[in-house]
Amino acid sequence: MLDIGCGEGYYLSRFQKEIAPKASNFYGMDISKLGIRMAAKKNPMIHWLVANFAKLPFKEKSVSTVLSMFAEYSVPEIDRILTDDGNIIIVRAANNHLIELKNIIYPEIHEKVKTSSIKTFPGFCVEQENFSYKVTIQSTEDLLSLLLMTPHYWKIKPEGIENLKKFESLEVTISIEIDLLKRQK
Ligand SMILES: C[S@@+](CC[C@H](N)C(=O)[O-])C[C@H]1O[C@@H](n2cnc3c(N)ncnc32)[C@H](O)[C@@H]1O
């Protein structure tokens, strides 16, 4: 399994520990040296690589499962490295993911910040599952930590953060889409 854009490796580590704690064929890659350093400290069972998703350091048809969690990727590169019967798992935020938070931090929500990019894989069939539920974030500190985990932190104006600091708790919508792709036979 290869996680493209694994960041600090939280999700890949969970996969590895849950489904194959003794396996040594898990790979996490990210362009961020800092992220990979943190990942490597947390889970030495996984091979961690600093690389660019535009040029994956893997041979043709050598990876049986590709994972992309909230990250960008290259369709031709995934197509190149995936085995014939391989799986691709793509997880992304759906339109109303954290909508309550976005309503506070942006003066108005533009289409561009509402959706993450969706790329199609020609020659693949896709099964999609959607998950949506609400959680209450219980403190201003946790709300700020949540914001820091999102790409919005880097896009908003200082007023957005000031607006969020006025909240001591907030119920937010978690809404994600999971695509499972396989080659058409
Ligand atoms: C939103 S974060 C998701 C991180 C992780 N998958 C998670 O869900 O916690 C996107 C990740 O993509 C990585 N990234 C951005 N451009 C990249 C590139 N060209 N090649 C590889 N990784 C890249 C970033 O460094 C970041 O860790």
Side-chain angles (χ1 to χ4, degrees):
M1 177 180 272
L2 166 67
D3 185 0
I4 298 178
C6 65
E8 297 159 32
Y10 172 82
Y11 293 109
L12 184 62
S13 255
R14 284 292 301 269
F15 263 99
Q16 187 263 338
K17 284 180 182 156
E18 296 288 331
I19 63 176
K22 293 194 179 132
S24 59
N25 49 0
F26 282 72
Y27 294 81
M29 57 97 20
D30 200 284
I31 205 162
S32 162
K33 281 186 196 165
L34 185 63
I36 291 297
R37 226 176 262 146
M38 291 167 83
K41 276 188 194 152
K42 282 190 219 147
N43 190 336
M45 285 291 287
I46 293 174
H47 304 272
W48 301 104
L49 319 166
V50 176
N52 191 330
F53 66 65
K55 199 164 183 225
L56 295 170
F58 289 84
K59 287 186 184 163
E60 281 67 16
K61 300 186 191 290
S62 62
V63 178
S64 60
T65 306
V66 167
L67 182 63
S68 164
M69 308 274 308
F70 309 106
E72 290 292 327
Y73 50 86
S74 153
V75 173
E77 272 298 87
I78 293 179
D79 193 15
R80 181 182 67 77
I81 64 163
L82 194 72
T83 54
D84 284 338
D85 56 356
N87 298 299
I88 308 169
I89 303 167
I90 295 183
V91 180
R92 61 175 160 258
N95 276 358
N96 54 350
H97 185 59
L98 303 180
I99 186 70
E100 300 84 357
L101 183 82
K102 288 190 261 183
N103 282 336
I104 293 168
I105 58 176
Y106 288 104
E108 57 187 84
I109 298 177
H110 300 288
E111 198 56 33
K112 208 170 145 218
V113 300
K114 278 203 289 182
T115 50
S116 51
S117 62
I118 300 169
K119 293 174 179 166
T120 51
F121 281 80
F124 282 76
C125 54
V126 57
E127 270 174 45
Q128 191 177 80
E129 282 205 47
N130 299 304
F131 291 92
S132 197
Y133 54 94
K134 292 196 186 234
V135 291
T136 302
I137 310 294
Q138 304 277 8
S139 71
T140 311
E141 193 189 348
D142 284 353
L143 279 169
L144 293 170
S145 296
L146 174 63
L147 173 63
L148 196 57
M149 286 170 65
T150 72
H152 307 298
Y153 178 77
W154 309 101
K155 295 179 189 164
I156 59 174
K157 298 195 171 132
E159 300 89 87
I161 297 180
E162 290 311 311
N163 284 345
L164 190 61
K165 281 184 182 166
K166 293 174 194 154
F167 288 79
E168 288 176 358
S169 72
L170 185 70
E171 187 178 63
V172 291
T173 302
I174 306 297
S175 187
I176 57 167
E177 290 173 8
I178 303 178
D179 286 353
L180 174 63
L181 298 110
K182 289 171 187 287
R183 289 185 202 281
Q184 275 162 355
K185 296 231 163 115

Coordinates of all heavy atoms in Angstrom, one line a residue, residues 3-11 29-32 51-54 68-72 149 151, ligand 1:
D3 N 0.6 5.4 0.4 CA -0.2 6.6 0.7 C 0.5 7.8 0.0 O 1.6 8.2 0.4 CB -0.3 6.8 2.2 CG -1.2 7.9 2.6 OD1 -1.8 8.6 1.7 OD2 -1.4 8.1 3.8
I4 N -0.2 8.4 -0.9 CA 0.4 9.6 -1.7 C 0.0 10.9 -0.9 O -1.2 11.1 -0.8 CB -0.1 9.6 -3.1 CG1 0.4 8.3 -3.8 CG2 0.4 10.9 -3.8 CD1 -0.1 8.2 -5.3
G5 N 1.0 11.7 -0.5 CA 0.6 12.9 0.2 C 0.2 12.5 1.6 O -0.8 13.0 2.1
C6 N 1.0 11.7 2.3 CA 0.7 11.1 3.6 C 0.8 12.1 4.7 O 0.3 11.8 5.8 CB 1.5 9.9 3.9 SG 3.3 10.2 4.1
G7 N 1.4 13.2 4.5 CA 1.6 14.2 5.6 C 2.4 13.6 6.8 O 3.4 13.0 6.6
E8 N 1.8 13.7 8.0 CA 2.5 13.1 9.2 C 2.2 11.6 9.3 O 2.6 11.0 10.3 CB 2.0 13.8 10.4 CG 2.3 15.2 10.5 CD 1.4 16.0 11.4 OE1 1.0 15.4 12.5 OE2 1.1 17.2 11.2
G9 N 1.5 11.0 8.3 CA 1.3 9.6 8.3 C 0.3 9.0 9.2 O 0.2 7.8 9.4
Y10 N -0.6 9.9 9.7 CA -1.6 9.4 10.7 C -2.5 8.3 10.1 O -2.6 7.2 10.7 CB -2.5 10.6 11.2 CG -3.6 10.2 12.0 CD1 -3.5 10.0 13.4 CD2 -4.9 10.0 11.5 CE1 -4.5 9.6 14.2 CE2 -6.0 9.6 12.2 CZ -5.8 9.4 13.6 OH -6.8 9.0 14.4
Y11 N -3.0 8.5 8.9 CA -4.0 7.6 8.4 C -3.3 6.3 8.0 O -3.8 5.2 8.2 CB -4.8 8.2 7.2 CG -5.7 9.3 7.7 CD1 -5.4 10.6 7.3 CD2 -6.8 9.0 8.4 CE1 -6.3 11.6 7.7 CE2 -7.7 10.0 8.8 CZ -7.4 11.3 8.5 OH -8.2 12.3 8.9
M29 N 4.4 8.5 1.3 CA 5.3 9.6 0.6 C 4.6 10.9 0.7 O 3.4 11.1 0.6 CB 5.7 9.2 -0.8 CG 4.6 8.9 -1.8 SD 4.0 10.3 -2.9 CE 5.3 11.4 -2.9
D30 N 5.5 11.9 0.8 CA 5.0 13.3 0.9 C 6.2 14.2 0.4 O 7.3 13.8 0.5 CB 4.6 13.7 2.3 CG 3.7 14.9 2.3 OD1 4.2 16.0 2.1 OD2 2.5 14.7 2.5
I31 N 5.8 15.4 -0.1 CA 6.9 16.3 -0.5 C 7.5 17.0 0.7 O 8.6 17.6 0.6 CB 6.3 17.3 -1.6 CG1 7.4 17.8 -2.4 CG2 5.5 18.4 -0.9 CD1 6.9 18.4 -3.7
S32 N 6.8 17.0 1.8 CA 7.2 17.7 3.0 C 8.2 16.8 3.8 O 7.9 15.8 4.4 CB 6.0 18.1 3.9 OG 6.5 18.4 5.2
A51 N 9.1 12.6 -1.7 CA 9.0 12.6 -3.1 C 7.9 13.4 -3.6 O 7.0 13.9 -2.8 CB 8.9 11.1 -3.6
N52 N 7.8 13.6 -4.9 CA 6.8 14.4 -5.5 C 5.8 13.5 -6.2 O 6.2 12.5 -6.9 CB 7.4 15.3 -6.6 CG 6.5 16.4 -7.1 OD1 5.2 16.2 -7.2 ND2 7.0 17.5 -7.5
F53 N 4.5 13.7 -6.0 CA 3.5 12.8 -6.6 C 3.5 12.8 -8.1 O 3.0 11.9 -8.8 CB 2.1 13.1 -6.1 CG 1.4 14.4 -6.5 CD1 1.1 14.7 -7.8 CD2 1.1 15.3 -5.5 CE1 0.6 15.9 -8.1 CE2 0.5 16.5 -5.8 CZ 0.3 16.8 -7.1
A54 N 4.1 13.9 -8.7 CA 4.2 14.0 -10.2 C 5.2 13.0 -10.7 O 5.2 12.7 -12.0 CB 4.6 15.4 -10.6
S68 N -5.1 8.0 -1.2 CA -5.0 9.4 -1.2 C -6.0 10.0 -0.3 O -7.2 9.9 -0.5 CB -5.2 10.0 -2.6 OG -5.4 11.4 -2.5
M69 N -5.5 10.5 0.8 CA -6.4 11.1 1.8 C -6.3 12.6 1.8 O -5.3 13.1 2.3 CB -6.0 10.6 3.2 CG -5.9 9.1 3.4 SD -7.4 8.2 3.8 CE -8.1 9.0 5.1
F70 N -7.3 13.3 1.3 CA -7.3 14.7 1.3 C -6.1 15.3 0.7 O -5.6 16.4 1.1 CB -7.4 15.3 2.8 CG -8.5 14.6 3.6 CD1 -8.3 13.7 4.6 CD2 -9.9 14.9 3.3 CE1 -9.3 13.1 5.3 CE2 -10.9 14.3 4.0 CZ -10.6 13.4 5.0
A71 N -5.5 14.6 -0.3 CA -4.3 15.1 -1.0 C -4.4 15.1 -2.5 O -5.3 14.4 -3.0 CB -3.1 14.3 -0.5
E72 N -3.6 15.9 -3.1 CA -3.6 15.9 -4.6 C -2.8 14.7 -5.1 O -2.0 14.1 -4.4 CB -2.9 17.2 -5.1 CG -3.8 18.4 -4.9 CD -5.1 18.4 -5.7 OE1 -5.0 17.9 -6.8 OE2 -6.1 19.0 -5.2
M149 N -5.6 22.2 11.0 CA -5.5 21.0 10.2 C -6.1 21.1 8.8 O -5.9 20.2 8.0 CB -6.4 19.9 10.9 CG -5.7 19.4 12.2 SD -6.9 18.3 13.0 CE -7.1 17.0 11.9
P151 N -6.8 23.2 5.0 CA -6.1 24.2 4.1 C -6.7 25.6 4.2 O -6.0 26.5 3.8 CB -6.4 23.6 2.7 CG -7.5 22.6 2.8 CD -7.6 22.2 4.2
Ligands
LIG1 C1 -4.2 18.2 3.1 S1 -2.6 17.4 3.4 C2 -3.2 15.7 3.7 C3 -2.2 15.0 4.5 C4 -2.6 13.5 4.9 N1 -3.0 12.7 3.8 C5 -3.7 13.6 5.9 O1 -4.9 13.5 5.5 O2 -3.5 13.9 7.1 C6 -1.9 17.3 1.7 C7 -0.5 16.8 1.7 O3 -0.1 16.7 0.4 C8 1.3 17.0 0.4 N2 1.8 17.5 -1.0 C9 1.5 18.7 -1.6 N3 2.1 18.7 -2.8 C10 2.7 17.5 -2.9 C11 3.5 16.9 -4.0 N4 3.7 17.6 -5.1 N5 4.0 15.6 -3.8 C12 3.7 15.0 -2.7 N6 3.0 15.4 -1.7 C13 2.5 16.7 -1.8 C14 1.4 18.1 1.4 O4 2.8 18.2 1.9 C15 0.5 17.6 2.5 O5 1.1 16.8 3.5

